[in-house]
Amino acid sequence: MSVSMRDLDPAFQGAGQKAYPSPSHLLLNGIEVWRIENFSPTPIPKSSIGKFFTGDSYIVLKTTALKTGALRHDIHYWLGKDTSQDEAGTAAVKTVELDAALGGRAVQYREVQGHETEKFLSYFKPCIIPQEGGVASGFKHVEAEEHITRLFVCRGKHVVHVKEASQIPVAFARSSLTHDDIYILDTKSKIFQFNGSNSSIQERAKALEVVQYIKDTYHDGTCEVATVEDGRLMADADSGEFWGFFGGFAPLPRKTANEEDKTHTSDIKKLFCVEKGQANPVEGDSLKREMLDTSKCYILDCGLEVFVWMGRTTSLDDRKVASGAAEEMIRSSERPKSQMIRIIEGFETVPFRSKFDTWAQVTNTTVSEDGRGRVAALLQRQGVNVRGLMKAAPPKEEIQAFIDCTGNLQVWRVNGQQKILLQAADHSKFYSGDCYVFQYSYPGEEKEEVLIGTWFGKQSVEEERASAVSMASKMVESMKFVPAQARIYEGKEPVQFFVIMQSFIVFKGGIGSGYKKYIAEKEVDDDTYNENGLALFRIQGSGPENMQAIQVEPVASSLNSSYCYILHNDTSVFTWTGNLATSTDQELVERQLDLIKPNLQTRAQKEGSESDQFWELLGGKTEYSSQKLTKEPESDPHLFSCTFTKEILKVTEIYNFTQDDLMTEDIFIVDCHSEIFVWVGQEVVPKNKLQALTIGEKFIEKDSLLEKLSPEAPIYVIMEGGEPSFFTRFFTSWDSSKSAMHGNSFQRKLRIVKNGGTPVAEKPKRRTPASYGGRASVPDKSQQRSRSMSFSPDRVRVRGRSPAFNALAATFESQSARNLSTPPPVVRKLYPRSVTPDSSKLAPKSSAIASRSALFEQQLKTPPQEPSIPKSLKASPKTPESPAPGSNSNGKEEKKENGKEEEKSMSSRIQSLTIQEDAKEGVEDEEDLPAYPYERLKTTAADPISEIDVTRREAYLSSEEFKEKFGMTKEGFYKLPKWKQNKFKMAVQLF
């Protein structure tokens, strides 16, 4: 499309450059509005956005920032019921011009008063109530007048269409009311809501939001609110007062169909090609993408929806003519409810594409970007800031898990119809041929949260997958549907799962009965991992709290220059570092070696300088990839309301959603492409609660957004009242007290309206954990205590203890005092393995550990002082009872008591030392370690030092070089808490 400056109205210069609230007087939440005055668009101030007059026409631009960094534009032109044909035509033409100014990629909507699209109404929640008048009276200051009693009719379950039915002095008639709708009677001192008997709970709840809006806007939030139920006799004063406006109570008449109630079928699909202002039918048995020519404009008439498709190379005049032809088509067929939507080639909406039997996406956005750049260049010559017109760079945000990593984990392996509890050492070691069930409890924002999930290996059998889902669902049901539930497939794991598992390893093959039966029936080789056999692992992850080792085929083609690998057989261990691997990847290799092959010396291999033996183990050198593997990207979230009956799923998208759109009687789905979240309200019937996971699977099959959802995408089932942070992050704000209220959606919102807009919590306030506070706030990555960072994964974590103290305390801990659900403690190496595990060369470190252990032993021999307890709280001593005559159990009882006292004494000593350790947490004494040059301590050094603790390379720097590199003294650095040390090291990335 050719662009000239004469086609661009000066009022549109700089439009659509921002998506967020700003001090600009023309922008409100990404919304800009122009009113047509004297056939020209005039910007209206921010304070007037949302106010419409029935005699005017408006242009509304909504700018949304996408996760990709680009800006999406939706343009609507709104026509009041009393606007003139000339103003309406001007609004239509100027909308096309505005699209040209934005680069020709916006979707354009025609909005008629009373029949607006749900997307348009979602910008102005809870509603818009157009005022009488037009340009002449719009900007006048209206003097305070006597309140006018008005009657409004409300329709809509997700957004509310509000229409003024009548007002005093016109007498209200009972015939104005129907059983199907909801009415709001706004009087001087009280607002009444009349609920038709056929209206739904959700519609009544949404209408209450309009009541709140009227109360705040026209009554300064001070008037009374009352509800009247259709069919209920005059049993209370509010009902009597309401019916008094209608001449007294009487049964409502049957509703008679009027022009507004007539429905127009959407089954028709007629395609027209616009040439020289005429819409000519396009012949064809079915609609196909190939029928659209890029040099022409087309009209697709679907009854309620009329689409105008504009080819990318069409001129601005051609687009204006096509829009006029579509307007005439709607006007001549007398379809006031029909909505016109104009679309540019390459940016077709999902509803438009869904009308075609086949649609091959052939978008070339580069062309559009070039056109967008030309427009920006033209405007820049006039001194306009065009920064927003160009595609922004994608935001480089670090992936956050939004889940605490210090919780308690239990894992079961599915074995047929049984599940086997795994020891703690095996919690993160999965087999690709098996299925697993896990339960993870962790400190949430206001209470302990629980996540129960299933993991399906790629080689697992369907029978065990179904068994795993059944087991997990029964666990959730037994806990009264409080926990969140997850369904996860191998290779599609979300970051939350990796953070829970931390050091995650996937072995080939399986050890369950399902896999064994499968290979026997198929007569295939059993490739289950053998620690003494040949195996190759790809190492990946972002840090110690999120690292994975995935076993792949032991061939050269499995290598990738962007990763590090571990290769071993029964006698040798190799590490291979790709040229594109990072220092973090190399550190993760060292950590994973401790878990996979800890007892053999490692031979490091750098890409391009591998040994012959390395290639021999892989069967020879071949070509391999250098492109980093990518996960499914997370797109901007979409919210859908779901109805599931007779195995048929119907969904409705809710635009610009907030927490208030979630109704407790319904099931909703948040779709962010890489993950699917199924939210289930408290008032949903139990049968549908049990089908929540099935609904998520049906949604993926339906693919409502035509985004080619993976059938293995993770699915979460979230119950109202137990929303975790990784779900609430999709909402701009979240108030947990709303789900703490009793009753259905209407009852809850009625209490909020009568309480002045504040939720009334009916449950005790839940505690706020120390880990992090505030909605959706997640602790800094360096502040999160990772199981893999603080101790060996083979033993139960005790928060706050140092690794040295954990090993020492494990020797003295009482078995009877231990939680039976956790495995016995295991003493392991205190530090990650080095490249050369020569213990004799680590004498300085070993002596330091020994000296600390000796100090602990000395403290253990010294009984801790009895804590000071107020006399009023001390129990009075009891006189021991004399044994019964003839009893011979005195010795045994005495020994048992002595044993218990010794256990208690030992436990109290360890607890006392734990407190002392906690007080010193993060402070590490500077040990007497040898100093080495910085160049030899780097992981990329030509002659690296091998006799060091690779997790503390900085400790081997000399004091002078340490201060030069870190900007602080070594003594000052080691006085910092441990998490600050780690954060500082991650920031400087020296090694």
Side-chain angles (χ1 to χ4, degrees):
M1 179 187 69
S2 59
V3 180
S4 62
M5 292 310 300
R6 66 180 178 83
D7 295 323
L8 302 178
D9 195 292
F12 296 142
Q13 292 184 5
Q17 297 187 33
K18 296 180 181 179
Y20 302 103
S22 75
S24 169
H25 71 289
L26 303 179
L27 184 71
L28 179 65
N29 296 330
I31 298 174
E32 297 169 84
V33 182
W34 296 263
R35 176 160 52 181
I36 302 301
E37 299 180 13
N38 298 322
F39 306 105
S40 297
T42 301
I44 69 171
K46 182 167 63 175
S47 59
S48 297
I49 290 179
K51 297 178 181 178
F52 296 88
F53 290 88
T54 60
D56 291 332
S57 297
Y58 296 82
I59 296 175
V60 177
L61 169 63
K62 170 65 174 177
T63 304
T64 306
L66 304 178
K67 281 185 174 292
T68 60
L71 296 178
R72 184 187 70 206
H73 298 103
D74 292 286
I75 309 175
H76 307 254
Y77 63 101
W78 185 88
L79 309 177
K81 65 181 179 66
D82 299 325
T83 191
S84 66
Q85 286 294 329
D86 290 338
E87 284 191 351
T90 301
V93 170
K94 292 298 180 181
T95 298
V96 178
E97 293 182 12
L98 176 57
D99 171 58
L102 296 171
R105 59 165 51 184
V107 181
Q108 306 159 43
Y109 302 83
R110 174 180 178 267
E111 309 285 354
V112 178
Q113 180 181 344
H115 307 292
E116 296 88 350
T117 62
E118 291 198 354
K119 174 174 278 192
F120 179 79
L121 292 177
S122 71
Y123 304 152
F124 308 103
K125 290 182 179 179
C127 65
I128 60 172
I129 302 179
Q131 303 176 40
E132 294 293 330
V135 174
S137 59
F139 288 119
K140 287 185 178 180
H141 176 70
V142 180
E143 298 295 334
E145 299 177 357
E146 186 69 21
H147 182 85
I148 300 176
T149 300
R150 298 181 294 176
L151 180 67
F152 300 96
V153 59
C154 300
R155 295 170 180 167
K157 181 178 178 181
H158 304 301
V159 292
V160 187
H161 289 82
V162 180
K163 178 185 177 183
E164 187 171 346
S166 56
Q167 59 179 257
I168 297 292
V170 178
F172 296 141
R174 285 189 295 272
S175 59
S176 303
L177 308 177
T178 69
H179 299 292
D180 298 328
D181 297 322
I182 298 169
Y183 297 84
I184 296 175
L185 180 62
D186 177 24
T187 72
K188 184 176 182 179
S189 59
K190 187 180 293 187
I191 302 175
F192 298 88
Q193 176 170 316
F194 175 83
N195 299 321
S197 57
N198 295 335
S199 63
S200 67
I201 292 174
Q202 296 90 331
E203 290 174 317
R204 299 177 186 187
K206 277 295 176 183
L208 278 174
E209 296 179 6
V210 179
V211 170
Q212 182 70 56
Y213 170 79
I214 294 174
K215 179 181 177 181
D216 294 338
T217 305
Y218 300 105
H219 299 270
D220 297 325
T222 58
C223 70
E224 296 181 45
V225 173
T227 60
V228 179
E229 298 299 325
D230 180 17
R232 182 180 299 176
L233 298 178
M234 297 173 56
D236 56 65
D238 290 333
S239 296
E241 187 176 353
F242 173 80
W243 287 112
F245 287 92
F246 296 85
F249 173 78
L252 294 182
R254 282 180 174 270
K255 181 179 179 181
T256 58
N258 55 34
E259 188 62 31
E260 290 190 357
D261 298 324
K262 292 180 181 179
T263 59
H264 300 273
T265 178
S266 294
D267 295 336
I268 61 171
K269 290 188 294 186
K270 296 180 181 179
L271 184 65
F272 301 86
C273 179
V274 181
E275 294 179 307
K276 298 180 179 180
Q278 297 296 318
N280 304 314
V282 177
E283 301 298 331
D285 296 333
S286 61
L287 292 179
K288 298 180 181 179
R289 169 66 178 83
E290 293 75 17
M291 300 171 71
L292 305 177
D293 187 343
T294 189
S295 63
K296 297 180 180 179
C297 293
Y298 295 82
I299 298 174
L300 178 60
D301 185 2
C302 300
L304 284 176
E305 296 173 311
V306 177
F307 297 92
V308 179
W309 185 89
M310 297 172 279
R312 187 184 292 122
T313 60
T314 55
S315 67
L316 190 61
D317 289 336
D318 289 340
R319 298 180 182 185
K320 291 179 180 180
V321 170
S323 298
E327 290 265 11
E328 180 59 30
M329 182 180 294
I330 294 174
R331 189 164 43 248
S332 61
S333 58
E334 297 183 352
R335 292 181 288 173
K337 283 188 175 182
S338 292
Q339 299 163 348
M340 188 175 74
I341 304 167
R342 298 190 296 221
I343 300 169
I344 307 298
E345 179 186 4
F347 300 94
E348 295 86 356
T349 62
V350 170
F352 178 78
R353 284 186 283 142
S354 66
K355 306 297 182 184
F356 288 74
D357 296 330
T358 59
W359 185 275
Q361 191 71 13
V362 292
T363 304
N364 182 2
T365 57
T366 305
V367 177
S368 181
E369 288 292 344
D370 292 343
R372 192 179 178 86
R374 288 197 297 269
V375 174
L378 290 171
L379 294 177
Q380 195 171 27
R381 295 192 193 107
Q382 290 192 348
V384 178
N385 181 4
V386 296
R387 182 175 51 189
L389 291 180
M390 302 305 295
K391 182 177 179 180
K396 296 182 179 180
E397 294 183 1
E398 186 177 4
I399 298 176
Q400 291 185 328
F402 293 92
I403 192 170
D404 191 284
C405 67
T406 63
N408 297 315
L409 176 65
Q410 286 182 296
V411 181
W412 295 265
R413 178 172 51 80
V414 177
N415 194 47
Q417 299 300 317
Q418 309 272 328
K419 67 178 190 286
I420 300 173
L421 180 65
L422 302 185
Q423 297 294 320
D426 298 324
H427 277 177
S428 301
K429 298 177 180 178
F430 286 17
Y431 285 85
S432 186
D434 294 332
C435 295
Y436 296 82
V437 177
F438 64 90
Q439 177 175 320
Y440 183 63
S441 57
Y442 60 98
E445 294 181 347
E446 296 182 347
K447 66 173 183 178
E448 282 288 311
E449 306 283 1
V450 180
L451 175 63
I452 295 175
T454 55
W455 183 90
F456 303 149
K458 290 181 178 179
Q459 299 172 283
S460 61
V461 296
E462 191 60 41
E463 292 80 3
E464 287 194 339
R465 293 182 180 183
S467 181
V469 170
S470 176
M471 293 172 184
S473 298
K474 289 178 181 178
M475 292 169 64
V476 172
E477 187 177 2
S478 67
M479 300 175 69
K480 299 182 179 180
F481 297 100
V482 171
Q485 185 176 352
R487 187 213 68 177
I488 299 169
Y489 280 87
E490 178 187 352
K492 298 290 184 179
E493 297 91 348
V495 65
Q496 292 91 339
F497 177 82
F498 285 145
V499 168
I500 291 172
M501 295 298 171
Q502 298 195 355
S503 301
F504 186 57
I505 304 176
V506 179
F507 298 114
K508 293 178 69 66
I511 57 178
S513 60
Y515 179 76
K516 298 298 183 185
K517 181 180 178 182
Y518 169 78
I519 61 175
E521 291 178 351
K522 299 295 183 180
E523 297 182 352
V524 296
D525 294 335
D526 185 356
D527 61 351
T528 301
Y529 172 72
N530 182 355
E531 63 180 2
N532 294 321
L534 179 64
L536 178 66
F537 293 88
R538 182 181 70 247
I539 309 303
Q540 60 192 40
S542 60
E545 75 293 340
N546 175 9
M547 58 181 180
Q548 303 90 47
I550 312 299
Q551 187 179 359
V552 295
E553 288 293 327
V555 293
S557 58
S558 297
L559 299 177
N560 188 311
S561 301
S562 298
Y563 295 92
C564 294
Y565 290 79
I566 296 174
L567 173 67
H568 78 74
N569 60 9
D570 57 339
T571 59
S572 305
V573 180
F574 293 88
T575 61
W576 186 84
T577 303
N579 288 332
L580 302 179
T582 65
S583 59
T584 300
D585 296 328
Q586 298 175 43
E587 181 183 349
L588 298 185
V589 167
E590 296 295 326
R591 292 179 177 274
Q592 291 287 13
L593 277 170
D594 266 348
L595 305 175
I596 296 174
K597 206 72 172 176
N599 300 319
L600 290 178
Q601 183 172 347
T602 304
R603 297 173 61 182
Q605 307 285 303
K606 184 73 176 174
E607 182 179 6
S609 58
E610 300 88 350
S611 64
D612 292 338
Q613 185 182 358
F614 175 81
W615 291 121
E616 287 174 5
L617 288 177
L618 293 178
K621 185 176 182 180
T622 60
E623 293 293 326
Y624 52 83
S625 175
S626 61
Q627 186 173 2
K628 199 172 185 68
L629 303 177
T630 57
K631 291 275 188 181
E632 287 284 351
E634 182 177 278
S635 65
D636 295 275
H638 297 261
L639 180 67
F640 294 87
S641 172
C642 301
T643 303
F644 188 60
T645 54
K646 297 180 180 180
E647 298 300 315
I648 299 177
L649 178 65
K650 296 181 180 179
V651 298
T652 302
E653 184 170 4
I654 300 173
Y655 303 99
N656 298 292
F657 61 86
T658 65
Q659 181 186 359
D660 288 333
D661 290 312
L662 301 178
M663 298 289 184
T664 187
E665 300 80 18
D666 290 336
I667 294 177
F668 294 83
I669 287 180
V670 174
D671 173 13
C672 58
H673 186 71
S674 60
E675 297 171 290
I676 303 297
F677 297 82
V678 183
W679 183 90
V680 183
Q682 293 177 357
E683 297 296 316
V684 170
V685 296
K687 177 184 176 182
N688 289 343
K689 287 183 180 180
L690 296 173
Q691 293 181 314
L693 191 59
T694 302
I695 291 174
E697 294 171 342
K698 292 287 186 182
F699 179 83
I700 290 178
E701 292 176 10
K702 191 177 183 69
D703 196 12
S704 299
L705 295 178
L706 304 180
E707 54 184 340
K708 297 182 180 179
L709 287 173
S710 168
E712 297 181 352
I715 298 176
Y716 295 90
V717 177
I718 310 294
M719 295 296 170
E720 182 183 12
E723 295 88 352
S725 296
F726 57 82
F727 173 78
T728 59
R729 67 190 175 99
F730 297 116
F731 297 80
T732 54
S733 63
W734 189 269
D735 185 355
S736 58
S737 64
K738 290 182 178 179
S739 60
M741 300 177 68
H742 294 307
N744 58 40
S745 299
F746 172 70
Q747 293 166 340
R748 294 182 186 185
K749 290 200 175 180
L750 182 59
R751 284 196 291 274
I752 292 175
V753 170
K754 290 188 174 182
N755 194 49
T758 304
V760 183
E762 294 170 291
K763 294 181 182 178
K765 184 68 175 177
R766 299 174 288 187
R767 72 171 181 84
T768 301
S771 56
Y772 52 95
R775 195 205 75 77
S777 64
V778 175
D780 191 289
K781 175 176 280 192
S782 59
Q783 297 182 23
Q784 296 184 10
R785 291 192 190 166
S786 162
R787 289 189 292 268
S788 59
M789 291 176 68
S790 59
F791 72 105
S792 165
D794 285 59
R795 67 169 264 103
V796 181
R797 181 185 69 261
V798 182
R799 289 187 222 166
R801 297 183 181 180
S802 66
F805 185 81
N806 272 336
L808 184 64
T811 308
F812 298 98
E813 280 183 332
S814 168
Q815 294 295 321
S816 62
R818 183 171 48 82
N819 189 325
L820 296 179
S821 65
T822 59
V826 178
V827 179
R828 284 196 49 177
K829 293 185 301 179
L830 304 178
Y831 296 93
R833 74 189 304 281
S834 177
V835 177
T836 307
D838 189 348
S839 59
S840 63
K841 296 180 181 180
L842 297 178
K845 184 176 292 294
S846 301
S847 61
I849 298 173
S851 62
R852 175 169 291 186
S853 300
L855 174 61
F856 289 153
E857 290 177 0
Q858 182 179 0
Q859 291 174 325
L860 284 172
K861 294 177 182 178
T862 306
Q865 294 182 356
E866 183 180 356
S868 176
I869 303 176
K871 292 183 179 181
S872 59
L873 299 179
K874 287 188 177 182
S876 58
K878 294 183 179 180
T879 304
E881 298 180 2
S882 302
S887 172
N888 60 355
S889 61
N890 291 355
K892 293 181 180 179
E893 293 294 332
E894 187 175 349
K895 288 181 180 179
K896 187 180 292 185
E897 291 298 326
N898 289 340
K900 289 183 178 179
E901 289 178 5
E902 288 178 3
E903 284 185 3
K904 291 180 179 178
S905 176
M906 185 63 66
S907 178
S908 63
R909 293 177 189 177
I910 291 176
Q911 184 177 3
S912 175
L913 287 176
T914 302
I915 296 173
Q916 296 176 32
E917 280 286 306
D918 288 341
K920 299 188 297 180
E921 180 187 359
V923 181
E924 187 166 347
D925 297 330
E926 184 188 358
E927 300 168 0
D928 186 17
L929 299 176
Y932 297 103
Y934 167 69
E935 293 300 327
R936 295 191 62 193
L937 290 171
K938 295 193 299 183
T939 56
T940 57
D943 182 22
I945 300 293
S946 58
E947 309 87 356
I948 60 171
D949 174 10
V950 296
T951 64
R952 298 183 59 224
R953 296 179 185 271
E954 78 287 345
Y956 299 91
L957 290 171
S958 65
S959 299
E960 295 76 11
E961 204 163 15
F962 189 99
K963 187 172 183 180
E964 176 187 348
K965 300 295 183 184
F966 281 82
M968 68 171 68
T969 64
K970 187 182 290 188
E971 294 81 0
F973 177 80
Y974 284 113
K975 288 181 181 179
L976 295 173
K978 192 68 176 178
W979 66 267
K980 284 191 176 181
Q981 295 179 23
N982 291 333
K983 185 175 183 180
F984 196 87
K985 288 193 289 185
M986 289 179 66
V988 296
Q989 292 285 326
L990 285 175
F991 301 100

